[in-house]
């Protein structure tokens, strides 16, 4: 794919170098970089990818997406500066795999407990209806009936879009996925076109990462904040954070409950 075509998917601050070049792949891990790759320098929680720009170029990267322009510019390398390289990685990965989430009815499930159960039940139910469907979950990923081992609750953007592309290619019309708070906070789901979101519940969890319950809640809520208006947002009315999740969503709001009056009881 041409670099100039690929970077149309991201908001760019400035470009240094030639964009009329062919890109053979992209990655945010410098160890995976090959000849003519695009390297996305992401600031992670433990490691800053900007430290590995030179290593990526040595391995064959001809284009770099970064938040900070390096002091030493290589003349043959193209540098694309962005405000948020985490978000850029998600958008670029979606574009690289021809935006597979737009060709699926994609539903995300978030919450502390019950994500795997709900996503798996939906996947199994739709397949019992005779539909081809995909599943992205903590236990295992499925491309219709083909099992793919899972390494994270929500994979990195490149793996995520690769799996979604494989689902589309085998004829899947539906995909159900767990959306972890880590993935929402790290913008691993950036660029995905969700048709619906489901909230289960919120209890104290992952505070080693989020530090506070409020930050944990905000990470979950950001998933619903970014749902498009033609999507649905389904929340658990029995959980005290249930309606908080939907406060700022543009999606159509729906509720379910075991204890009180709701859209689905």
């Amino acid at each position: 794919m041409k670099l100039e075509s690929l970077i149309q998917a991201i908001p760019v601050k400035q470009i240094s170098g030639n964009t009329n070049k062919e890109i053979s792949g992209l990655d945010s891990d410098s160890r995976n970089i090959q000849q003519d790759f695009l390297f996305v320098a992401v600031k992670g929680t433990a490691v800053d990818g900007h430290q590995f720009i030179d290593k990526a170029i040595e391995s064959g990267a001809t284009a770099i997406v970064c938040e900070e322009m390096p002091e030493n510019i290589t003349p043959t390398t193209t540098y694309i500066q962005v405000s948020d390289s985490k978000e850029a990685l998600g958008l670029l990965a979606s574009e690289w795999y021809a935006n597979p989430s737009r060709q699926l009815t994609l539903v995300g499930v978030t919450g502390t407990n019950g994500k795997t159960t709900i996503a798996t039940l939906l996947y199994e139910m739709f397949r019992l209806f005779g539909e081809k469907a995909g599943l992205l979950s903590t236990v295992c990923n499925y491309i219709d009936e083909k099992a793919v081992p899972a390494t994270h609750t929500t994979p990195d953007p490149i793996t995520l879009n690769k799996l979604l592309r494989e689902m589309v290619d085998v004829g899947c019309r539906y995909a159900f996925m767990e959306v972890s708070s880590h993935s929402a906070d790290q913008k691993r789901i950036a660029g995905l076109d969700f048709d619906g979101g489901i909230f289960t519940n919120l209890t104290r969890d992952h505070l080693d990462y989020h530090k506070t319950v409020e930050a944990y809640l905000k990470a979950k809520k950001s998933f619903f904040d970014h749902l498009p208006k033609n999507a649905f947002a389904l929340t658990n009315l029995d959980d005290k954070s249930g309606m908080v999740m939907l406060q700022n969503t543009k999606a159509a709001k729906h509720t379910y409950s075991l204890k009180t009056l709701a859209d689905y009881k």
Side-chain angles (χ1 to χ4, degrees):
M1 184 185 284
K2 285 282 187 186
L3 178 61
E4 59 193 355
S5 173
L6 182 58
I7 62 173
Q8 285 180 10
I10 59 173
V12 172
K13 286 174 76 175
Q14 68 165 313
I15 297 171
S16 170
N18 176 27
T19 60
N20 184 24
K21 57 173 70 172
E22 201 69 33
I23 296 297
S24 61
L26 75 155
D27 214 295
S28 59
D29 188 335
S30 60
R31 294 167 296 185
N32 299 333
I33 296 298
Q34 297 175 40
Q35 192 58 45
D36 298 325
F37 262 47
L38 167 66
F39 174 64
V40 185
V42 173
K43 290 184 177 180
T45 49
V47 180
D48 185 353
H50 288 73
Q51 296 172 6
F52 302 100
I53 289 175
D54 289 341
K55 185 179 183 299
I57 293 169
E58 285 173 21
S59 299
T62 54
I64 307 292
V65 168
C66 53
E67 291 179 20
E68 297 162 8
M69 285 288 196
E71 289 180 14
N72 301 318
I73 300 289
T74 308
T76 54
T77 306
T78 306
Y79 298 86
I80 301 107
Q81 188 182 23
V82 296
S83 298
D84 188 338
S85 53
K86 288 178 187 173
E87 183 180 41
L89 179 61
L91 295 167
L92 288 165
S94 288
E95 187 68 21
W96 181 260
Y97 287 102
N99 294 289
S101 62
R102 295 179 191 172
Q103 299 164 59
L104 291 159
T105 295
L106 179 63
V107 177
V109 185
T110 195
T112 306
N113 303 305
K115 295 189 296 295
T116 305
T117 302
I118 289 175
T120 305
L121 283 171
L122 287 167
Y123 161 75
E124 295 287 3
M125 183 171 69
F126 273 70
R127 292 195 71 237
L128 285 170
F129 288 151
E131 297 284 356
K132 281 180 173 283
L135 174 67
L136 295 162
S137 84
T138 308
V139 178
C140 189
N141 301 315
Y142 283 91
I143 299 163
D144 197 25
E145 59 188 2
K146 177 189 167 188
V148 180
T151 55
H152 293 78
T153 300
T154 311
D156 66 272
I158 296 169
T159 305
L160 196 47
N161 279 280
K162 183 175 182 288
L163 289 166
L164 291 171
R165 169 45 58 195
E166 288 179 33
M167 290 175 195
V168 171
D169 289 347
V170 300
C172 290
R173 293 175 57 204
Y174 299 90
F176 306 97
M177 67 177 283
E178 295 183 46
V179 177
S180 68
S181 57
H182 292 72
S183 71
D185 185 61
Q186 295 166 10
K187 301 185 180 176
R188 279 185 244 155
I189 54 174
L192 296 187
D193 179 31
F194 284 95
D195 296 282
I198 301 170
F199 173 70
T200 61
N201 49 58
L202 192 82
T203 58
R204 293 177 68 88
D205 200 10
H206 300 303
L207 297 191
D208 55 327
Y209 175 85
H210 294 286
K211 307 304 180 193
T212 66
V213 174
E214 184 185 9
Y216 179 46
L217 182 148
K218 277 185 175 178
K220 296 282 189 195
K221 183 176 173 292
S222 69
F223 167 57
F224 293 96
D225 291 350
H226 289 93
L227 286 176
K229 64 180 180 182
N230 60 338
F232 71 83
L234 175 63
T235 195
N236 177 10
L237 212 53
D238 295 337
D239 189 278
K240 64 181 181 181
S241 301
M243 289 312 293
V244 175
M245 290 292 152
L246 307 194
Q247 276 178 352
N248 303 106
T249 190
K250 298 185 287 289
K253 300 175 183 179
H254 302 283
T255 58
Y256 68 93
S257 169
L258 290 172
K259 303 171 185 174
T260 56
L261 192 64
D263 297 325
Y264 304 99
K265 194 166 189 297

